[in-house]
């Protein structure tokens, strides 16, 4: 669906995007008209004194009522015309642009008249109770105008149609203007990350005359298309290592789930007893101390740590290091000793916040690469290099998160202390979603020092590492995908 062209500009919406906004605005304005009519009828100012003042206020309200009735009818007409035709059939919706030309002077008049009415009703008149309700009605009118203005700012394109020569530049600038709102009061690292995401998203549809609703509709049509055909599943008959079993994966899935914190604990334990147990275990204003466990940056009541202790209660587990610090490229993780399997477990949390979403989306192929010959950790690992010496390319956001976990446990000597307390234990790393991708890359960083490290990766994103690094991944990482989960099938392509 081509973008709407009106007032000499190509807007960020199509002519078929006025159905629900038009109906919503019509409903809101109709409600305003009903309220205004009630005020006009019940508190009619003719029963009060001050004839001149009450006549002026009556005129102001009457004009606003007429403007809103007219705008409501116009919104209904626009919604009806916008609903015509199929997605790619723009001809039945051509009158939309003309209706916008009609709507503009009405809106300008409404804006000016509301300013005049606001000045009059807030002058200090005291005409019965009519003035109080009229002030409420005028304030609601300003709320309506504010919503319309915000909507215009979102879909407005400042570049004129005759100035649009470079489609790639237009696409990039449009996305960047949207992301500029997210950069407010952010540090330089977050701004750079958002800039990379904007570049990535703008590159998807360069040269395509599409708007956001077209993309959403296209995805829905693809999912529900009855003619979808999928290639046959390829079977790999190579023998997997003995430790890669469903039973082992199920065992470590528990730790990958527990690290999500108290919200997930309550979601899976919906009972009064679970809520009571969590309330008893929280330690409000206790700082960063929790018995024998080193806790880093939990909330003030340490709810996440309390839920983690409850979730592992009944298992032969000792928590050693708990970090719920969640910044850009800094994911929460837990280090514990699982005595039943004689393993030291590093469990990494998956996506659970908007910051994690920024990490997920930092996947630009041009900047998300790591050359093993220049990497200080992997420079001695020749098994990661392919035969022709080409580089291994990985997901930038997940690599930075893996390095954060790697640097943290190395600086604090977490694993060294754990092996002193638990000699002969096996090192196991696990995670879900974003945590699965971070866990698999952390496995590559740790395998130099711990060559027998194992990783259980649950629903890992499908864009973690390039083909050159996959053979080494298959040696150390077991991935588990549930049904038609879209995350493991997601990539830049």
């Amino acid at each position: 669906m081509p973008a709407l062209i009106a007032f000499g500009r190509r807007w960020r919406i199509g002519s078929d995007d006025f159905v629900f906004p038009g109906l919503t605005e019509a409903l809101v304005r109709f409600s305003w008209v009903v309220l205004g009519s009630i005020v006009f009828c019940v508190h009619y100012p003719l029963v009060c004194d001050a004839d001149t003042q009450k006549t002026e206020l009556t005129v102001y309200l009457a004009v606003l009522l007429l403007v809103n009735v007219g705008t409501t009818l116009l919104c209904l007409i626009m919604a009806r015309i916008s609903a015509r035709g199929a997605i790619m059939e723009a001809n039945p919706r051509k009158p939309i642009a003309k209706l916008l030309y009609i709507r503009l002077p009405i809106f300008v008049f409404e804006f000016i008249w509301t300013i005049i009415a606001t000045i009059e009703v807030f002058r200090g008149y005291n005409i019965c109770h009519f003035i109080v309700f009229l002030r409420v009605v005028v304030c609601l009118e300003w709320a309506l105008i504010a919503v319309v203005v915000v909507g215009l700012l979102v879909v407005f394109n400042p570049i004129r149609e005759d100035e649009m020569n470079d489609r790639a530049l237009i696409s990039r600038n449009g996305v960047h203007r949207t992301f500029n709102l997210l950069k407010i009061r952010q540090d330089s690292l977050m701004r750079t990350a958002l800039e990379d995401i904007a570049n990535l998203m703008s590159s998807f549809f360069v040269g395509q005359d599409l708007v956001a609703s077209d993309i959403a509709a296209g995805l829905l049509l693809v999912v529900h298309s009855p003619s979808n055909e999928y290639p046959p599943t390829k079977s790999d008959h190579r023998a997997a290592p003995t430790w890669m079993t469903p039973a082992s994966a199920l065992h470590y899935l528990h730790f990958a789930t527990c690290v999500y914190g108290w919200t997930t604990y309550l979601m899976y334990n919906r009972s009064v007893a679970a809520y009571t147990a969590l309330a008893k275990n929280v330690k409000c204003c206790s700082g960063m101390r929790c018995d024998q466990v080193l806790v880093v940056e939990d909330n003030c009541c340490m709810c996440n740590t309390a839920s983690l202790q409850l979730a592992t209660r009944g298992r032969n587990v000792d928590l050693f290091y708990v970090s719920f610090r969640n910044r850009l490229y800094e994911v929460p993780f837990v280090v514990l000793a699982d005595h039943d399997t004689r393993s030291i477990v590093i469990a990494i949390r998956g996506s659970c916040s908007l910051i994690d979403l920024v990490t997920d989306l930092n996947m630009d192929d041009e900047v998300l690469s790591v050359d093993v010959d220049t990497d200080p950790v992997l420079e001695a690992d020749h098994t990661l290099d392919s035969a022709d010496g080409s580089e291994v390319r990985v997901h930038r956001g997940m690599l930075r998160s893996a390095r954060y976990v790697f640097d943290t446990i190395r600086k604090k000597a977490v694993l060294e202390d754990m092996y002193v307390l638990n000699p002969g234990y096996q090192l196991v790393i696990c995670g879900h979603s974003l945590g699965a991708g971070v866990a698999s890359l952390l496995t590559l960083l740790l395998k130099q020092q711990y060559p027998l490290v194992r990783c259980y990766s649950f629903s890992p994103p499908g864009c973690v590492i390039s083909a050159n690094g996959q053979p080494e991944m298959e040696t150390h990482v077991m991935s588990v995908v549930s049904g038609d989960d879209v995350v493991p099938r997601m990539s830049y392509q």
Side-chain angles (χ1 to χ4, degrees):
M1 173 65 214
L4 175 69
I5 298 178
F7 302 101
R9 285 170 169 79
R10 184 178 295 272
W11 295 70
R12 298 172 187 166
I13 56 174
S15 57
D16 59 344
D17 291 331
F18 291 86
V19 179
F20 292 106
L23 292 176
T24 302
E25 184 177 358
L27 178 61
V28 173
R29 287 187 178 274
F30 176 75
S31 303
W32 188 97
V33 170
V34 172
L35 177 62
S37 301
I38 293 175
V39 172
F40 192 85
C41 296
V42 176
H43 299 282
Y44 189 66
L46 294 179
V47 299
C48 305
D49 299 328
D51 292 338
T52 303
Q53 295 174 354
K54 68 187 179 185
T55 301
E56 292 178 354
L57 295 177
T58 303
V59 171
Y60 293 138
L61 179 59
V63 172
L64 286 178
L65 285 172
L66 291 175
V67 169
N68 276 276
V69 169
T71 305
T72 300
L73 295 176
L74 188 59
C75 289
L76 292 175
I77 295 173
M78 293 180 64
R80 177 67 183 89
I81 296 177
S82 181
R84 293 177 180 174
I87 293 178
M88 302 306 295
E89 297 175 358
N91 288 332
R93 300 187 289 269
K94 279 187 176 181
I96 289 292
K98 296 179 181 179
L99 292 175
L100 290 176
Y101 295 142
I102 299 174
R103 174 72 186 276
L104 179 61
I106 296 178
F107 180 74
V108 172
F109 174 78
E110 178 183 18
F111 181 77
I112 296 175
W113 193 261
T114 305
I115 293 177
I116 298 174
T118 302
I119 295 174
E120 292 297 324
V121 300
F122 284 94
R123 273 189 175 182
Y125 298 146
N126 188 18
I127 305 176
C128 299
H129 296 290
F130 176 73
I131 190 66
V132 177
F133 288 95
L134 189 57
R135 288 171 179 172
V136 173
V137 170
V138 169
C139 291
L140 293 177
E141 178 68 22
W142 276 115
L144 274 173
I145 293 175
V147 172
V148 173
V149 170
V150 171
L152 288 174
L153 293 176
V154 171
V155 301
F156 178 71
N157 191 344
I159 303 177
R160 296 184 59 83
E161 171 67 13
D162 53 9
E163 297 174 355
M164 293 185 177
N165 297 320
D166 190 343
R167 291 292 181 186
L169 180 61
I170 299 305
S171 176
R172 181 180 181 277
N173 290 342
V175 176
H176 277 257
R177 280 191 295 271
T178 303
F179 272 82
N180 283 338
L181 297 175
L182 303 176
K183 296 180 182 179
I184 299 176
R185 302 187 66 180
Q186 300 291 348
D187 56 23
S188 59
L189 185 62
M190 178 62 78
R191 287 174 175 269
T192 302
L194 293 174
E195 189 79 11
D196 292 337
I197 296 175
N199 291 331
L200 173 71
M201 297 187 67
S202 63
S203 67
F204 284 157
F205 305 103
V206 170
Q208 302 293 327
D209 191 3
L210 298 172
V211 294
S213 61
D214 298 332
I215 300 169
L219 293 174
L220 290 174
L221 289 174
V222 168
V223 170
H224 297 287
S225 174
S227 59
N228 285 339
E229 294 183 2
Y230 301 99
T233 303
K234 296 181 180 179
S235 299
D236 192 345
H237 300 287
R238 291 177 297 174
T242 56
W243 59 269
M244 292 187 181
T245 63
S248 298
L250 182 61
H251 178 84
Y252 291 104
L253 174 62
H254 180 78
F255 302 123
T257 306
C258 293
V259 76
Y260 274 94
W262 68 273
T263 53
T264 303
Y265 172 80
L266 294 180
M267 182 176 67
Y268 282 101
N269 299 273
R270 295 186 294 271
S271 66
V272 176
Y275 300 159
T276 304
L278 181 61
K280 291 180 178 179
N281 280 267
V282 297
K283 300 182 179 181
C284 294
C285 304
S286 61
M288 293 294 102
R289 178 181 56 81
C290 181
D291 299 333
Q292 302 295 324
V293 185
L294 176 60
V295 182
V296 178
E297 202 167 323
D298 199 348
N299 55 32
C300 64
C301 294
M302 303 185 74
C303 297
N304 295 306
T305 305
S307 65
L308 188 61
Q309 291 175 324
L310 290 174
T312 55
R313 181 178 294 177
R315 294 172 178 257
N316 195 8
V317 170
D318 288 330
L319 298 179
F320 185 81
Y321 186 89
V322 178
S323 173
F324 284 99
R325 179 181 179 87
N326 194 197
R327 303 287 189 274
L328 183 61
Y329 308 132
E330 298 179 4
V331 293
F333 68 97
V334 173
V335 182
L336 55 89
D338 181 15
H339 301 296
D340 289 336
T341 59
R342 293 183 56 82
S343 57
I344 297 171
V345 181
I346 303 176
I348 304 174
R349 197 191 75 179
S351 300
C352 199
S353 66
L354 293 177
I355 293 178
D356 295 332
L357 181 60
V358 175
T359 302
D360 287 325
L361 293 177
N362 266 271
M363 51 186 290
D364 193 340
D365 190 43
E366 292 183 1
V367 296
L368 304 180
S369 64
V370 53
D371 191 336
V372 298
D373 294 328
T374 60
D375 188 280
V377 177
L378 305 178
E379 59 182 356
D381 190 355
H382 303 291
T383 60
L384 284 179
D385 252 336
S386 61
D388 59 356
S390 58
E391 62 188 2
V392 174
R393 308 176 72 85
V394 298
H395 189 293
R396 179 184 181 184
M398 295 180 188
L399 177 64
R400 289 193 173 188
S401 299
R403 289 199 176 282
Y404 159 73
V405 178
F406 178 81
D407 292 338
T408 300
I409 61 179
R410 184 176 57 179
K411 290 177 181 178
K412 298 182 180 297
V414 175
L415 293 182
E416 288 79 358
D417 293 343
M418 287 291 286
Y419 274 108
V420 170
L421 298 173
N422 307 280
Y425 276 34
Q426 173 68 49
L427 178 60
V428 176
I429 307 174
C430 61
H432 170 261
S433 187
L434 169 63
V438 175
S440 59
L441 294 178
L442 178 62
T443 301
L444 296 184
L445 298 178
L446 287 172
K447 80 181 194 70
Q448 287 301 301
Q449 187 176 357
Y450 307 97
L452 298 180
V453 60
R454 302 171 181 176
C455 176
Y456 292 92
S457 177
F458 303 99
S459 297
C463 50
V464 176
I465 194 168
S466 63
N468 294 331
Q470 289 177 9
E472 194 66 18
M473 277 284 195
E474 293 174 355
T475 304
H476 297 274
V477 181
M478 176 184 180
S479 297
V480 181
V481 179
S482 176
D484 293 329
D485 187 0
V486 68
V487 173
R489 296 167 174 84
M490 189 176 294
S491 66
Y492 177 90
Q493 290 74 18

